[in-house]
Amino acid sequence: MFEQKPKARRLGWAVVGCGWVARDYVIPALQGASNARLVALCDANVDALLRIPADDVARYTALGSVLADKDVEAVYIATPNHLHAAMTEACAAAGKHVLCEKPMAVTPRDGLRMVSACQRAGVHYATAFDQRHHAAHRKLRTMVKEGVLGTVTQARIHYACWLPADWTPDNWRIDPEQAGGGAMIDLAPHGLDLLEVVLGDEWASLTAMTQRRVHDYAVDDGAVLMGQFKSGTLGMLQVAYNCPDAYPRRTLELIGTKARALAYKTMGQTPGGSLSLTDARTGEETWIHLSPEEDRSPFLHQVETFSTCVLEGRPQPYAPERDVRLVGLLTQATQDGKAYPSCH
């Protein structure tokens, strides 16, 4: 008679903030993860809670109830940006691990508060940079590390969307108090993080220009960020809320002395897209194949990576102090950069 193996332990998760990203991507990832289980949902909006298709899950309207739930071991914070710091501190004080949506905080001071709280409590903290978990981006990182592209001279990301004021009934992303900014603070953190991860490098400088060009709201609807990495590679990010969704608008390009890499439609919440290399000598373009086992939901890979580190007592892949540095870099670029007045 064969001895039955014990079931692998799964980390108990709560999701706080049940907006569209949590509903469509984070919660399905938690439900499908091999080492995680969804045990609780929390949102002040009862209707948002009821829209989530999840059986046998506790539903709360206050964070305090989540923190009192003994089945909750980790919390995914997906609330408006201005709530991240206080919620992370509360979770840490209750002994809960934290995976927080980007940007981790509106200011570097708030980011330091979050990191300090988690360190004092001995809990894990990570920022939810799902882009680094996309299979194409992980493959690209390996190719850069192995020298497939040669010396990378320039890196460019175009990550944009169309986001009018009435995009949702309560569009907090265009509220300066809740979001801390507009397109730049919402979209640029992904690219800032991703280029460092893919290049295995660190931003040394960053400048920014913002615009209020199309939409009549109080925050920027577009921005361009330019900077240099410690290695000397130049980087550029184009982000926008004023780019029609029908346009090609989600590209990552690395220019190297041996090859150019182009990832198309990989920036975003879903797997898929394409990755190609263009040979510097022949100009021939080769498509990089990703197996179905590799090309899974980036949110699923993110949840499983975080949970593995907690369950096995290993540090998260990237120290949270790095995330604070990126917030500081973006904050400084915003303060030093040029902001052009609205055309309205």
Side-chain angles (χ1 to χ4, degrees), residues 13 38 40 63-64 86 113 206 225 248 292 324:
W13 283 82
L38 178 66
L63 179 63
R113 284 173 49 197
L206 189 71
L225 299 90
V324 178

Coordinates of all heavy atoms in Angstrom, one line a residue, residues 13 38 40 63-64 86 113 206 225 248 292 324:
W13 N -4.2 34.0 1.4 CA -4.2 35.4 0.9 C -5.5 36.1 1.1 O -6.6 35.5 0.9 CB -3.9 35.4 -0.6 CG -2.4 35.2 -0.9 CD1 -1.8 34.0 -1.0 CD2 -1.4 36.2 -1.2 NE1 -0.5 34.1 -1.4 CE2 -0.2 35.5 -1.5 CE3 -1.5 37.5 -1.3 CZ2 0.9 36.1 -1.9 CZ3 -0.3 38.2 -1.7 CH2 0.9 37.5 -1.9
L38 N -6.9 31.8 -1.9 CA -7.6 33.0 -1.6 C -8.6 32.7 -0.5 O -9.5 31.8 -0.6 CB -8.4 33.4 -2.8 CG -9.3 34.7 -2.7 CD1 -8.4 35.9 -2.4 CD2 -10.1 34.9 -3.9
A40 N -9.8 35.6 1.6 CA -10.6 36.8 2.0 C -10.5 37.8 1.0 O -9.5 38.0 0.3 CB -10.2 37.3 3.4
L63 N -10.5 46.9 6.6 CA -9.2 46.3 6.7 C -9.0 45.6 8.1 O -8.4 44.5 8.2 CB -8.1 47.3 6.5 CG -6.7 46.8 6.6 CD1 -6.4 45.7 5.5 CD2 -5.7 47.9 6.5
G64 N -9.6 46.2 9.2 CA -9.4 45.6 10.5 C -10.0 44.2 10.6 O -9.4 43.3 11.2
A86 N -0.3 53.5 4.8 CA -1.0 53.2 6.1 C -1.4 51.8 6.1 O -1.4 51.1 7.2 CB -2.1 54.2 6.3
R113 N 8.6 54.3 5.2 CA 7.7 53.9 6.3 C 7.2 52.5 6.1 O 7.2 51.7 7.1 CB 6.4 54.8 6.3 CG 6.6 56.2 6.9 CD 5.3 57.0 6.7 NE 4.1 56.3 7.1 CZ 2.9 56.7 6.8 NH1 2.7 57.7 5.9 NH2 1.8 56.0 7.2
L206 N 17.5 60.4 -14.3 CA 16.2 60.4 -14.9 C 15.7 61.8 -15.0 O 15.7 62.6 -14.0 CB 15.3 59.5 -14.2 CG 13.9 59.2 -14.9 CD1 14.1 58.3 -16.0 CD2 12.9 58.6 -13.9
L225 N 10.0 60.1 -20.2 CA 11.1 60.1 -19.3 C 12.3 59.6 -20.0 O 12.3 58.6 -20.8 CB 10.8 59.1 -18.1 CG 9.5 59.5 -17.3 CD1 8.3 58.8 -17.8 CD2 9.7 59.1 -15.8
P248 N -0.6 50.7 -32.1 CA 0.5 49.9 -31.4 C 1.1 50.8 -30.3 O 1.6 51.9 -30.6 CB 1.5 49.7 -32.6 CG 0.8 49.9 -33.8 CD -0.3 51.0 -33.5
P292 N 4.0 26.9 -23.8 CA 2.8 27.2 -23.0 C 3.1 27.1 -21.5 O 2.5 27.8 -20.7 CB 1.8 26.1 -23.4 CG 2.2 25.7 -24.8 CD 3.7 25.9 -24.8
V324 N 11.9 51.7 -3.1 CA 11.9 53.1 -2.5 C 12.7 54.0 -3.4 O 12.4 55.1 -3.7 CB 12.3 53.1 -1.1 CG1 12.4 54.5 -0.5 CG2 11.5 52.2 -0.2

